Amino acid sequence: MERHQEIERTIIKTYRAHLWAPFVKALKEFQLLKPKDKVCVCISGGKDSMLLAKLFQELKRHSDFEFEVTYLVMNPGYNERNLKLIQSNLNLLHIDAIVKNTDIFEIANAQTKTPCYLCAKMRRGALYKLAKELGCNKIALGHHYDDVIETTLMNMLNNGSFQTMLPKLHSDNYEGMELIRPMYFIRERDIQRWVNYNELVFLNCACKFTEDINKSKDLTGSKRYDTKLLIKDLLKYNPFVEKNIFKAPFNVNVDKVIGYKLHNKEISFLDEYDEN
């Protein structure tokens, strides 16, 4: 058995219950994939997106209906060392990916303040454009369970709003394009266990801004990192806090909400208060 086959085997055997099963569960529960879909699997070079690509390869072998997959690496301006690492992993894992170069890092890092928001926005826009050019109607991203709970908490604490990371959503600017998150139920710790078990080394966020933070060892400028630390502290208060944050958007009681938005329309509990 070749190296890539051994790694593939660990997905459906060793970590079946923690990787393969929750992947399939999300696909079915949220109806993320349909016959004749053309999916663009976006690979950043990190552990999450690389695993996502391997999960889709496995799905192609076992699916009971036809669909197409294109693997895309959008290079926002990685340095040569990081590009070599990505290509090395693509070769090791037998992922036949298209690499598209952009200058997103250069533009985003020219900003005086933290460039992360602008970078993310530009990458998303470029990704939609490239996926459309490739003839795809869906974009698959490697966001996982922990990303969902962190995003939910960050919105509450930093934006004063209750909103989460949806398992799928339609594009506002590209008609017929849909973004899906098939790793919605997969825990980050299980991804890391799979990485460690197979002795793999993947890319972290590798823009100049992040590299400078990592060199200084001061990660407190990252809201997501701060949120990870906060969740660890909250686990001391309640060991089920992660599960409860994840479940909360599934259990919204509108009768107990002061106000909410529906299709960009603001709705208040007062609108129907006197009618009850």
Side-chain angles (χ1 to χ4, degrees), residues 239-250:
F240 302 106
V241 72
E242 292 172 309
K243 181 179 180 181
N244 289 338
I245 295 172
F246 187 85
K247 285 170 54 182
F250 290 81

Side-chain angles (χ1 to χ4, degrees), residues 210-262:
T210 305
E211 287 180 340
D212 290 343
I213 290 176
N214 289 336
K215 287 177 183 177
S216 70
K217 306 299 181 183
D218 178 17
L219 300 176
T220 55
S222 166
K223 289 295 184 184
R224 187 164 294 275
Y225 178 78
D226 291 343
T227 305
K228 286 180 181 290
L229 294 180
L230 176 59
I231 291 173
K232 284 184 178 181
D233 284 338
L234 290 173
L235 286 169
K236 301 172 187 175
Y237 161 76
N238 182 348
F240 302 106
V241 72
E242 292 172 309
K243 181 179 180 181
N244 289 338
I245 295 172
F246 187 85
K247 285 170 54 182
F250 290 81
N251 296 308
V252 177
N253 187 344
V254 178
D255 289 333
K256 301 296 182 181
V257 173
I258 299 294
Y260 61 96
K261 288 183 179 180
L262 183 63

